[in-house]
Amino acid sequence: MSDRDHHVLLQPHVLYVSTKQRGNGVLSFIRNVPQAFSRMIPDYVMSATRCALFLSCKYHSLYPNYIHRRIAELKTDFTLRILLVLVDVEDNANVLLILNKLAVQNNLTLILAWTEEEAARYLETYKAFDGKDASIIQKKEQSHFADQVADFLGTCKGVNKTDSAQLLSQFSNVRALAAASMEEMGLVMGMGGVKVKRLHDALHKPFS
Amino acid sequence: SSYTAGNPLIPEGLLPCFLADAFSELYEEDGLMVLGKGLGCLSLLAAFCRFYADIEEGHVSIVRESVASNTASSNNEPSVAPLVIVLGLKDGERQALVDILESWGTPPELLPTMVTNEAGQGKDRAALYDRGGIFCITSRIFIVDLLTNIASPNKIDGLLVAHGENVTEQSTEAFILRIFQGQKQPFGSGFIKAFTDAPDQLMSGFAKVDKILKSLHVRRLYLYPRFHESIRQELESHPPSVTELHQELSPLQKEMQNAIAAAVSACIRELKSSTTLLEWNDSELSIENCVTTNFDRAISRQLEHDWHRLKPQTKQLVQDLRTLRTLFQSLIQYDCVTFWKLINSIKTMSAASRYPSLWLLTPAADVLFRKAKARVYNISRPRPTSQLSHPVAHLKAILEENPKWKLLKQILDEIRLDDAQRVRNVDCDGPRNVLVMVKDDKTVDTLREYLTDGKDRTLTLRWLRFLDQYNDRSRSITNCKGGISAISEESRLLLEEESRVRNALFGKRRNRGHRDTADDLDREFVLDDALEATEKALNDASFSKTILARIRADLNAEEDAMLRISNPSELRIILKSYSSIDGDQSSLFLQDMEPQYVVLYDTDVAFIRSVEMYEALSTHSDPVRVFFLMFEASSEQKTFMKTLEREQNAFERMIDHKKTMPPPALQVVGTQEMQQAMHVGSAGGSYMDGSLPLAFDSRRGRGKEDRSKERRDIAVDVREFRSALPSILHQGGMRLAPVTLTVGDFVLSNVHCVERKSISDLFGSFASGRLYTQAEAMSKHYKCPCLLIEFDPTKSFCLQNSNELGVEIRTESVCSKIALLTMHFPQLRILWSRSPHETLRIFRELKTNHDEVDVEKAIDIGRNESPDALLQLPAGLAEGEDEINEMARDMLLRLPGVNVHSARRIMQECDSLAELAEMSRDELRRIAGPVTGQKLFAFFRQKI
């Protein structure tokens, strides 16, 4: 059985780690999902369609051809192909430029981590979130009234959560706030002239 | 005078001589003119506008003469007014500029044309520019006009740049100036004259003034500080008579000021222990320093590099410091009731917040709240006696008046006496005015009430307004729990106080006795009465409205935001706020009013100088009498001195700097890349130059040679011109097509579409769900959708703190969100850039070997599909204009239940959010659908 065939025979719930990754400091930080070593092409396999290659900037500066070889081996397998890069050198501008380009050209998704722990967290997250829907990053309707108001008023630049709560407590409801004059809004703590004008304009000027 | 020599078009006696000198200097050679605050910066700019606008006597005539003397040939050209662009003016200043020009008798056809959001379409602007004249334009519109060749640098004679202090390397103004200087033929033949009256901002960073001069493309720096010899002579030859009056804070105010200072130190101690990033010297924490310096800003500046990595608790502390500093101000500016209300709402807020403000738990906060309450009311309880084991407590309204109010009244009385004497001695007729200058319109309102209605009524009205709002809760508790016993004694007393105050103010409807008996029944009787009175009319919204309506009516009767008391034959008292004055309007205002007395209730350096200038130019024998009212040992006194000191300091440093400063080396054509770009014929980056399609030169298909040629075209969404990236891309030789994009911010080729996010944008758009929608749209329309995460080069290059990571996977962490985003959009590429300059390199790499972007197609993609389209211009309108209320549309989409479709319908039926909020349930159901309509109705009316 070739390394490539391995990909389809994996168990769910386990983060598979290539034997080539033995000794990588990242592994010691993977604690939230079970991991198992396996002989395979990518460095990590999170699911049947998701895999990751790992690269440290330091290593890349020493062996610039390494990652090209790895990408070539990977061919076009997997739908989501992460290039997980540990940013461990200070002077990283050129390396990152090359990696950005490389990732775009080879359909890889570049993820930067600044510590081994952070890199490990990404791997864990990809594993643990397998099958999860996108609701936490989608527009959601706030169920709590105060949050709805904060959401609504917060869209006006410069108006933060505190401001929106202050406004609400001053005017008691949104309708009264929308009817308020600039002078009245100015009475609210934290609402300076610029912010007041901006909010008043947003509420009172016509949509178009 | 020498002034008329400088500019013959301004009637003599309207501007001081030193401005004439400034005019001649700046006219001779381009440069940055730095004037002290209030010394007429905008008037000088106006003088240039006047001069260039007039083709008979102004600039053109001078140029024509010099041309005639240099060359023998006669000048047959028809005289066209020069095209001069004024950049950098703020909203109110544009009007102020027109006001000044009008006061000089400028004919209407020579006044500047305003091109702001309301202006016409792109094509119309091209015609306008062709006619020549002076144009005041917002930079965001003008940069688009330059890039699309609606405005050609060759047709522009010069630029006047207001607020020169803002022209940093990455500003849009710098971008404009670079294109102007680079493309103007012959090189550098247009003039650039820049103005500023904020010297302290020029010296606030390393070599900042040199960088600004370079960005402005000027070599000369002209300095006109207040201590300049000629200015001193001119202004001090005929000085106003000044009386300074120092008012002590009331004992309670003093204690509160100390308490706030103590809270500040507590916050800073806490901050220092919570982060190692802060270097703060404890000696800087004397009360005096707390009061005077913007310590919170200094602290924010130290932390801003790592702002996105700070713990929320730490951020809260910084926020608290900001709040506390404004409390110093509020303490002396507000009346006691407003202040009490203010700190109470801070407390309520903090209790509801996830990270409460720690300072509220300190003993200092306790002192602050006790003293603040003591200024408003106290509750006394007689000792229990043998007859009465539970004596009734009494609430007594104290309502301490702001000590400055009383002082103002005294001064005004004194002025009346003095005036009466003057009238008797000198036979003078005509209006005699007392000008009282205050900080803002709110203070105007308060003082107006105070001077007309007296202390008691002013404060009692506020007191009632406070009680009315405060008692809402008590009322609802007693209503539903059915008893007076459900609320605390203090709440009960406040509830009773409300009806007492209401009756005292608006007359008693019924006589009621027994107030002092401890009988519950009686109390309930009183309470019912109070409830009835409240229901009758005065809920808080309409109540405050009646008051404001009254003020408004007065204001409309006279000039804006101004108020006159007493009859016209007597001394008139005029209240005016600094916030209602823009730029140099104060000098116009003074000339208009011709006040005999000026009372500076609040201080403002610029206005004081205006008074000096007014006095120096005036022909009256009697000097204006000026009264300074200042709180002793308070924030305002210190702040005033500090402002003067800072300005003087900045000027002194600049004078030194000017001596040693190497003349800035001005590059006519920016970078090597740009030269190369110009060489290959993309004219330094203006797309539509000669109306060629954008990608013309690279698509002629002359075989392999062309394919390796560098690609330069990028379609940029106009809204991105707020950031520094377009300027940097252009500098790097890219040709930018400023257009309105529905999908993406930058389109690099027919496959590459980029959504740019700064770090704070990234966090924000994850939270709002916007990024998901954007990624979805990009993935749908482009083969290679990219999310560009652009870091700020001045901040740390790192997404999150290691201690933020925690030991477990948390759904709210940025890691989780990025992971989730990439899992749902496996085609989405993430570009990581350390700075806009890195972004340029990345873009350049990505563009190699790809076809140039088809701009027309990029514009079309995704129209009418995404919610973003709703926020943008309707098709057919010129780019770069904000004719729509983008913010309002954005907010509309955030309302519960509203989606793109219902938003469209709502916008058809209703003009503004304010109108929407007023709609009835039925109307809302009709225009938004039954479910959303109901949601909206509830949202607008729900009380917290």
Side-chain angles (χ1 to χ4, degrees):
Chain A
M1 192 168 70
S2 76
D3 289 354
R4 192 168 294 277
D5 297 330
H6 249 95
H7 302 167
V8 287
L9 297 172
L10 304 173
Q11 298 174 352
H13 312 303
V14 179
L15 173 68
Y16 282 91
V17 183
S18 161
T19 44
K20 283 172 264 180
Q21 284 289 306
R22 267 187 224 280
N24 188 340
V26 169
L27 298 183
S28 63
F29 290 104
I30 299 178
R31 303 186 190 109
N32 291 305
V33 293
Q35 48 172 311
F37 284 107
S38 166
R39 287 187 56 214
M40 54 194 195
I41 307 273
D43 291 331
Y44 299 88
V45 171
M46 288 86 82
S47 79
T49 57
R50 302 186 187 113
C51 75
L53 292 177
F54 178 86
L55 182 67
S56 97
C57 286
K58 211 180 267 170
Y59 191 86
H60 181 76
S61 336
L62 293 171
Y63 309 101
N65 290 327
Y66 162 79
I67 194 64
H68 291 275
R69 199 184 75 235
R70 297 298 309 278
I71 293 171
E73 281 170 9
L74 192 60
K75 294 185 183 162
T76 55
D77 293 7
F78 297 94
T79 325
L80 177 68
R81 301 135 53 94
I82 303 290
L83 177 57
L84 181 58
V85 171
L86 181 63
V87 182
D88 53 358
V89 291
E90 278 299 308
D91 182 19
N92 45 34
N94 288 327
V95 182
L96 291 182
L97 177 66
I98 292 163
L99 293 178
N100 269 314
K101 189 184 177 191
L102 196 68
V104 171
Q105 284 172 341
N106 295 287
N107 295 328
L108 294 159
T109 302
L110 181 64
I111 297 286
L112 298 191
W114 280 263
T115 59
E116 290 181 334
E117 202 179 352
E118 195 182 0
R121 178 58 45 83
Y122 275 112
L123 292 170
E124 289 176 340
T125 311
Y126 278 113
K127 180 73 237 176
F129 280 13
D130 192 15
K132 199 176 174 74
D133 67 22
S135 59
I136 58 169
I137 54 168
Q138 274 173 311
K139 183 192 170 185
K140 52 200 154 276
E141 208 116 285
Q142 296 283 2
S143 53
H144 200 272
F145 175 62
D147 294 332
Q148 285 178 348
V149 177
D151 220 26
F152 172 64
L153 296 176
T155 312
C156 181
K157 206 178 144 212
V159 179
N160 57 31
K161 250 189 168 149
T162 320
D163 295 332
S164 84
Q166 294 272 13
L167 284 162
L168 198 60
S169 81
Q170 172 81 15
F171 295 100
S172 79
N173 65 22
V174 178
R175 182 182 168 213
L177 166 65
S181 67
M182 289 216 239
E183 286 88 345
E184 288 171 301
M185 285 187 194
L187 286 170
V188 177
M189 176 73 194
M191 292 295 292
V194 182
K195 243 193 262 183
V196 166
K197 173 143 197 333
R198 210 181 279 145
L199 181 60
H200 192 265
D201 280 356
L203 291 172
H204 290 265
K205 284 203 172 169
F207 291 116
S208 45
Chain B
S1 78
S2 63
Y3 190 72
T4 31
N7 184 339
L9 300 162
I10 293 153
E12 222 172 311
L14 283 182
L15 284 182
C17 299
F18 68 84
L19 282 186
D21 298 343
F23 182 91
S24 330
E25 271 200 287
L26 190 56
Y27 178 72
E28 276 312 313
E29 191 180 347
D30 286 358
L32 172 62
M33 175 61 66
V34 190
L35 282 157
K37 269 231 153 40
L39 292 179
C41 191
L42 194 64
S43 303
L44 185 63
L45 176 67
F48 276 97
C49 289
R50 179 81 183 88
F51 184 67
Y52 286 113
D54 196 302
I55 52 172
E56 294 301 322
E57 304 196 44
H59 173 69
V60 174
S61 62
I62 291 178
V63 170
R64 219 183 285 137
E65 271 165 40
S66 69
V67 168
S69 63
N70 286 347
T71 60
S73 67
S74 63
N75 194 351
N76 291 329
E77 278 176 59
S79 39
V80 174
L83 177 58
V84 176
I85 307 292
V86 183
L87 293 174
L89 284 179
K90 300 188 173 146
D91 272 348
E93 289 169 342
R94 280 189 276 269
Q95 188 50 46
L97 179 71
V98 172
D99 288 348
I100 293 171
L101 287 168
E102 278 177 340
S103 78
W104 293 340
T106 312
E109 68 274 14
L110 298 185
L111 289 176
T113 311
M114 300 295 157
V115 182
T116 53
N117 299 348
E118 279 76 39
Q121 297 181 356
K123 257 184 201 149
D124 299 340
R125 281 208 302 277
L128 281 175
Y129 293 140
D130 278 343
R131 259 184 273 153
I134 315 286
F135 288 81
C136 296
I137 307 182
T138 57
S139 297
R140 245 186 85 202
I141 294 180
F142 192 59
I143 186 65
V144 173
D145 283 357
L146 273 182
L147 287 172
T148 52
N149 221 28
I150 287 172
S152 151
N154 275 326
K155 288 182 188 152
I156 299 165
D157 292 82
L159 302 173
L160 300 172
V161 186
H163 290 287
E165 75 276 6
N166 291 337
V167 186
T168 53
E169 289 153 298
Q170 310 207 324
S171 65
T172 312
E173 286 80 14
F175 190 6
I176 289 170
L177 290 161
R178 212 182 55 235
I179 295 185
F180 177 65
Q181 274 312 65
Q183 293 182 40
K184 177 85 177 159
Q185 301 286 347
F187 283 131
S189 58
F191 65 80
I192 294 173
K193 310 200 184 290
F195 306 81
T196 177
D197 61 357
D200 47 323
Q201 287 186 51
L202 291 176
M203 298 306 282
S204 62
F206 172 73
K208 193 172 171 197
V209 66
D210 305 73
K211 289 181 196 158
I212 286 177
L213 288 178
K214 207 169 156 186
S215 305
L216 283 166
H217 292 260
V218 297
R219 286 168 196 278
R220 297 295 302 269
L221 183 65
Y222 303 106
L223 304 175
Y224 280 81
R226 171 66 179 79
F227 57 83
H228 192 285
E229 193 50 38
S230 69
I231 298 180
R232 236 172 50 196
Q233 273 179 8
E234 193 174 358
L235 294 188
E236 288 169 16
S237 64
H238 199 263
S241 121
V242 178
T243 316
E244 279 188 36
L245 295 149
H246 295 273
Q247 172 67 49
E248 265 193 66
L249 292 170
S250 79
L252 283 172
Q253 275 181 310
K254 255 185 223 166
E255 287 179 76
M256 286 154 78
Q257 187 167 284
N258 290 351
I260 301 170
V264 168
S265 1
C267 271
I268 292 183
R269 266 198 310 277
E270 192 62 36
L271 195 56
K272 278 169 83 175
S273 65
S274 80
T275 171
T276 51
L277 297 162
L278 191 68
E279 283 171 36
W280 192 262
N281 191 345
D282 274 332
S283 68
E284 292 172 74
L285 269 185
S286 64
I287 290 185
E288 190 172 290
N289 262 324
C290 281
V291 174
T292 56
T293 51
N294 296 341
F295 54 86
D296 58 320
R297 244 174 264 163
I299 287 174
S300 311
R301 211 173 302 135
Q302 285 194 32
L303 295 177
E304 77 177 353
H305 292 269
D306 298 279
W307 188 252
H308 63 277
R309 297 168 54 190
L310 293 180
K311 285 182 286 189
Q313 291 88 337
T314 313
K315 289 181 185 171
Q316 182 59 47
L317 280 168
V318 177
Q319 175 69 38
D320 288 347
L321 282 172
R322 206 167 295 149
T323 310
L324 284 167
R325 187 169 60 84
T326 59
L327 282 187
F328 282 123
Q329 280 290 324
S330 317
L331 176 63
I332 54 174
Q333 199 75 31
Y334 292 175
D335 59 89
C336 58
V337 182
T338 311
F339 188 78
W340 172 237
K341 200 162 132 186
L342 172 70
I343 56 175
N344 269 307
S345 80
I346 293 175
K347 198 190 222 167
T348 322
M349 273 305 308
S350 170
S353 154
R354 189 160 163 211
Y355 301 101
S357 305
L358 293 173
W359 71 270
L360 285 167
L361 309 174
T362 63
D366 190 46
V367 173
L368 179 66
F369 277 85
R370 265 192 296 121
K371 302 295 169 186
K373 191 201 267 185
R375 287 174 81 202
V376 183
Y377 67 92
N378 67 28
I379 291 173
S380 59
R381 196 184 315 274
R383 285 172 186 285
T385 58
S386 48
Q387 287 96 356
L388 214 54
S389 54
H390 295 288
V392 184
H394 293 275
L395 185 145
K396 186 160 177 275
I398 305 289
L399 305 178
E400 182 183 271
E401 112 187 77
N402 189 329
K404 239 194 199 179
W405 295 359
K406 213 190 273 170
L407 183 63
L408 176 67
K409 209 165 209 170
Q410 277 171 19
I411 300 295
L412 289 176
D413 287 343
E414 214 174 284
I415 288 176
R416 272 194 198 101
L417 284 176
D418 183 81
D419 178 66
Q421 207 158 20
R422 272 208 214 185
V423 174
R424 241 176 286 131
N425 292 346
V426 197
D427 200 29
C428 64
D429 38 40
R432 298 181 315 287
N433 295 329
V434 183
L435 186 55
V436 181
M437 295 302 297
V438 302
K439 194 175 163 199
D440 48 25
D441 290 340
K442 202 160 74 189
T443 318
V444 171
D445 293 347
T446 315
L447 287 180
R448 185 202 147 278
E449 272 179 68
Y450 175 74
L451 292 175
T452 49
D453 300 345
K455 170 219 160 191
D456 286 337
R457 195 175 164 85
T458 309
L459 283 175
T460 314
L461 267 172
R462 272 148 220 272
W463 178 222
L464 176 60
R465 208 190 310 182
F466 168 77
L467 287 170
D468 184 57
Q469 209 172 39
Y470 178 89
N471 287 337
D472 251 8
R473 229 184 102 246
S474 314
R475 265 192 290 274
S476 62
I477 292 174
T478 49
N479 272 351
C480 51
K481 302 231 172 99
I484 192 82
S485 47
I487 56 172
S488 72
E489 185 179 42
E490 189 166 342
S491 302
R492 177 179 59 76
L493 287 169
L494 286 167
L495 207 48
E496 289 171 0
E497 173 77 2
E498 182 183 340
S499 64
R500 194 193 64 73
V501 172
R502 198 182 299 279
N503 283 330
L505 277 174
F506 299 108
K508 273 188 179 170
R509 290 179 300 126
R510 200 175 350 159
N511 217 349
R512 103 169 59 78
H514 318 296
R515 278 211 52 209
D516 293 346
T517 56
D519 191 77
D520 254 1
L521 267 176
D522 259 297
R523 281 214 198 89
E524 256 164 320
F525 173 68
V526 174
L527 197 66
D528 284 345
D529 215 3
L531 287 168
E532 200 183 313
T534 318
E535 276 163 25
K536 195 175 165 231
L538 305 163
N539 69 54
D540 49 323
S542 67
F543 177 73
S544 53
K545 242 197 210 134
T546 50
I547 289 181
L548 283 160
R550 207 148 50 85
I551 295 163
R552 278 274 140 254
D554 287 341
L555 292 179
N556 293 339
E558 290 290 342
E559 286 182 62
D560 245 12
M562 194 198 296
L563 166 89
R564 298 159 194 217
I565 303 167
S566 72
N567 69 61
S569 67
E570 274 180 12
L571 200 60
R572 291 193 303 177
I573 297 170
I574 298 152
L575 288 168
K576 177 97 179 159
S577 69
Y578 296 121
S579 61
S580 64
I581 298 178
D582 283 298
D584 291 352
Q585 271 174 336
S586 48
S587 56
L588 290 183
F589 180 68
L590 284 165
Q591 281 162 19
D592 220 32
M593 289 293 125
E594 299 190 329
Q596 276 72 33
Y597 303 90
V598 176
V599 181
L600 301 167
Y601 181 85
D602 293 307
T603 50
D604 179 80
V605 176
F607 191 82
I608 291 162
R609 295 203 173 135
S610 298
V611 176
E612 287 184 318
M613 299 232 287
Y614 164 72
E615 193 53 32
L617 291 168
S618 86
T619 49
H620 308 289
S621 50
D622 267 358
V624 176
R625 292 198 57 189
V626 180
F627 298 87
F628 265 94
L629 271 56
M630 250 194 276
F631 273 122
E632 218 164 83
S634 73
S635 60
E636 61 174 352
Q637 188 187 14
K638 300 280 163 48
T639 321
F640 177 66
M641 299 313 288
K642 266 263 153 63
T643 316
L644 287 177
E645 205 181 295
R646 249 202 311 270
E647 190 192 89
Q648 167 145 1
N649 200 323
F651 266 121
E652 279 165 358
R653 276 161 56 212
M654 239 184 301
I655 290 168
D656 278 350
H657 182 77
K658 197 180 159 184
K659 284 179 198 148
T660 55
M661 173 178 78
L666 302 180
Q667 293 163 306
V668 178
V669 184
T671 55
Q672 202 186 343
E673 286 91 346
M674 267 197 56
Q675 279 173 348
Q676 201 190 335
M678 294 194 65
H679 182 70
V680 297
S682 42
S686 61
Y687 134 88
M688 260 161 68
D689 196 9
S691 69
L692 290 177
L694 186 61
F696 186 80
D697 54 351
S698 55
R699 269 209 203 148
R700 261 173 290 186
R702 271 181 286 146
K704 284 173 190 168
E705 208 181 48
D706 262 20
R707 208 162 293 162
S708 62
K709 200 182 210 169
E710 204 182 327
R711 311 280 192 243
R712 300 183 180 282
D713 299 348
I714 296 178
V716 185
D717 186 63
V718 280
R719 280 170 295 179
E720 281 302 306
F721 281 84
R722 286 173 196 150
S723 77
L725 185 55
S727 173
I728 287 164
L729 292 176
H730 183 266
Q731 205 165 11
M734 295 296 170
R735 295 206 303 181
L736 307 181
V739 291
T740 304
L741 296 175
T742 307
V743 177
D745 295 327
F746 298 86
V747 181
L748 308 182
S749 74
N750 290 334
V751 291
H752 295 101
C753 173
V754 179
E755 180 69 40
R756 173 184 164 274
K757 296 283 178 212
S758 67
I759 298 305
S760 61
D761 286 348
L762 180 73
F763 283 71
S765 60
F766 264 133
S768 68
R770 204 176 163 88
L771 184 52
Y772 183 91
T773 332
Q774 287 165 331
E776 199 172 29
M778 284 200 295
S779 305
K780 184 171 169 194
H781 295 286
Y782 289 93
K783 218 174 118 196
C784 183
C786 303
L787 166 66
L788 168 69
I789 301 178
E790 193 176 84
F791 288 77
D792 181 334
T794 64
K795 298 183 184 172
S796 66
F797 178 53
C798 168
L799 206 54
Q800 57 191 332
N801 231 340
S802 52
N803 58 27
E804 245 177 296
L805 213 53
V807 287
E808 278 166 9
I809 301 171
R810 288 173 303 127
T811 47
E812 72 270 20
S813 84
V814 68
C815 268
S816 303
K817 290 174 176 172
I818 289 182
L820 215 49
L821 183 74
T822 52
M823 285 165 75
H824 282 87
F825 301 101
Q827 289 311 308
L828 182 72
R829 303 282 84 98
I830 302 185
L831 306 172
W832 302 76
S833 168
R834 300 188 53 140
S835 69
H837 286 99
E838 284 304 314
T839 307
L840 165 67
R841 294 173 69 198
I842 295 173
F843 280 8
R844 206 183 271 149
E845 288 290 340
L846 293 185
K847 282 178 68 61
T848 358
N849 299 326
H850 282 277
D851 278 346
E852 289 285 16
V853 53
D854 180 341
V855 179
E856 298 307 318
K857 197 174 143 205
I859 295 171
D860 261 356
I861 279 178
R863 269 193 194 278
N864 306 324
E865 278 179 38
S866 84
D868 278 14
L870 201 68
L871 306 175
Q872 288 166 351
L873 304 166
L877 270 182
E879 285 87 27
E881 286 158 39
D882 284 349
E883 293 198 44
I884 59 156
N885 193 344
E886 198 180 301
M887 202 99 81
R889 291 179 178 215
D890 221 343
M891 287 172 77
L892 176 62
L893 282 170
R894 289 304 174 82
L895 287 170
V898 174
N899 59 25
V900 187
H901 298 290
S902 48
R904 269 182 211 287
R905 269 212 313 284
I906 290 172
M907 282 175 7
Q908 274 166 11
E909 298 275 342
C910 147
D911 269 348
S912 69
L913 288 168
E915 199 185 311
L916 188 69
E918 286 299 321
M919 285 185 168
S920 70
R921 191 194 304 258
D922 289 341
E923 280 177 298
L924 285 170
R925 281 182 168 168
R926 184 176 61 79
I927 67 169
V931 179
T932 306
Q934 178 58 38
K935 273 186 186 169
L936 286 175
F937 184 76
F939 176 79
F940 287 129
R941 290 171 199 238
Q942 183 168 341
K943 291 200 174 191
I944 195 152

